Amino acid sequence: MAQAQIGIIGGSGLYKMDALKDVEEVRVDTPFGSPSDALILGTLEGTRVAFLARHGRNHTLLPSELPFRANIYAMKSLGVEYLISASAVGSLKEEAKPLDMVVPDQFIDRTKNRISTFFGSGIVAHIAFGDPVCKNLAGVVADAVASLELPDVTLHRGGTYVCMEGPAFSTKAESNLYRSWGATIIGMTNLPEAKLAREAEIAYATLALVTDYDCWHPDHDSVTVEMVIANLQRNAVNAQKAIQETVGRISQNPPASDAHSALKYAILTPLD
Ligand code: ADE
């Protein structure tokens, strides 16, 4: 089986990475069914990476329909140790404006219908999740973005990502509730990925690309797909630059990660 040290999951608007060289398309079969699409293996900054379009390359999967376990299992089976998740999000704070990038360090779970564990069926484990993203990997992502000095893009280091079920966007009451909790951004996909990556002992970090102000903002009224798409096209180019720079930095100096030994004290069921 082909191998890659770094995985990239591209969300809405990021369906491929133009800079990949020596590309190979790999269909991975997993005990949890097929991933969202074939994984695209390629060389970026001298390192083999595996790219997956989270919603499929033609955007055919709703957030609630995503095969999260198959996606993370496929990354693990290719040897992925670092997973970068590029994801479109709404902003819950005035200062995080459309086109900005946020590297969150916390999540709030508002999903209702997701399987976010590989455990069960006789094996009980509880991974530590107080720090749901790998701090060191998130630091590399943020430093990479900062080094690019992208015009019109402010980088926000840290912040809380609310993961909602969707597919409808939030009501104003919900959006204001999340604001009152101090949350920074909102999306529909990253929390199950972060949990499963941790169980798979893969370091995970999110590069969140702000597309809209959700519906709380007095000047923006409500979020529409048109608004999201327009900004997505603008920040997909920035996202690819940021990912390329991040991959270069990881391959030069792979960050240590507690995630790589996450199961050491997590499994309760005797396995011998
Ligand atoms: N993805 C992009 N914008 C979003 C929003 N406002 N709410 C949830 N997910 C989103």
Side-chain angles (χ1 to χ4, degrees):
M1 168 85 82
Q3 289 287 299
Q5 184 193 24
I6 301 171
I8 301 156
I9 299 185
S12 305
L14 189 64
Y15 306 110
K16 60 183 170 60
M17 287 281 301
D18 298 324
L20 293 189
K21 305 249 163 47
D22 301 321
V23 170
E24 180 189 356
E25 202 167 304
V26 182
R27 294 227 168 246
V28 185
D29 197 22
T30 85
F32 307 100
S34 299
S36 300
D37 205 325
L39 282 93
I40 310 297
L41 272 81
T43 303
L44 192 63
E45 298 290 317
T47 299
R48 291 301 276 173
V49 304
F51 177 86
L52 177 64
R54 178 184 288 119
H55 300 276
R57 69 188 76 183
N58 295 317
H59 209 131
T60 45
L61 296 166
L62 284 170
S64 312
E65 294 174 327
L66 293 177
F68 289 105
R69 290 190 295 180
N71 290 350
I72 301 297
Y73 190 101
M75 290 286 178
K76 184 75 182 176
S77 66
L78 293 172
V80 165
E81 295 168 28
Y82 301 96
L83 188 52
I84 307 161
S85 160
S87 306
V89 295
S91 169
L92 297 168
K93 286 196 193 278
E94 184 82 51
E95 61 268 28
K97 57 186 196 316
L99 295 187
D100 280 1
M101 296 190 182
V102 184
V103 182
D105 57 359
Q106 283 297 328
F107 287 103
I108 293 174
D109 194 356
R110 289 275 301 166
T111 65
K112 300 182 172 75
N113 193 19
R114 314 275 173 100
I115 304 175
S116 301
T117 183
F118 290 110
F119 292 102
S121 307
I123 302 181
V124 174
H126 304 281
I127 44 142
F129 206 55
D131 291 305
V133 300
C134 170
K135 280 184 183 168
N136 293 346
L137 181 60
V140 177
V141 173
D143 290 347
V145 172
S147 75
L148 295 171
E149 297 183 359
L150 297 164
D152 303 324
V153 175
T154 303
L155 165 68
H156 304 267
R157 290 176 188 260
T160 299
Y161 174 125
V162 176
C163 190
M164 62 177 288
E165 185 65 41
F169 292 119
S170 305
T171 64
K172 285 184 177 152
E174 288 164 336
S175 196
N176 281 315
L177 177 67
Y178 307 145
R179 276 169 53 71
S180 78
W181 291 347
T184 316
I185 49 177
I186 183 160
M188 302 183 189
T189 55
N190 276 211
L191 189 44
E193 274 174 12
K195 285 185 177 162
L196 291 163
R198 181 64 57 85
E199 287 189 352
E201 298 190 318
I202 298 174
Y204 181 92
T206 293
L207 173 63
L209 307 152
V210 176
T211 52
D212 55 84
Y213 268 121
D214 203 38
C215 59
W216 63 271
H217 198 293
D219 300 342
H220 295 267
D221 201 33
S222 76
V223 46
T224 64
V225 167
E226 269 155 292
M227 186 191 297
V228 171
I229 302 277
N231 285 330
L232 273 179
Q233 285 166 350
R234 292 175 66 194
N235 62 20
V237 176
N238 287 340
Q240 292 188 55
K241 288 184 191 156
I243 291 167
Q244 185 164 352
E245 178 66 25
T246 303
V247 166
R249 286 168 182 247
I250 297 171
S251 61
Q252 292 284 309
N253 193 7
S257 180
D258 289 345
H260 292 156
S261 53
L263 293 184
K264 200 165 175 192
Y265 302 110
I267 301 176
L268 284 172
T269 311
L271 294 178
D272 26 51

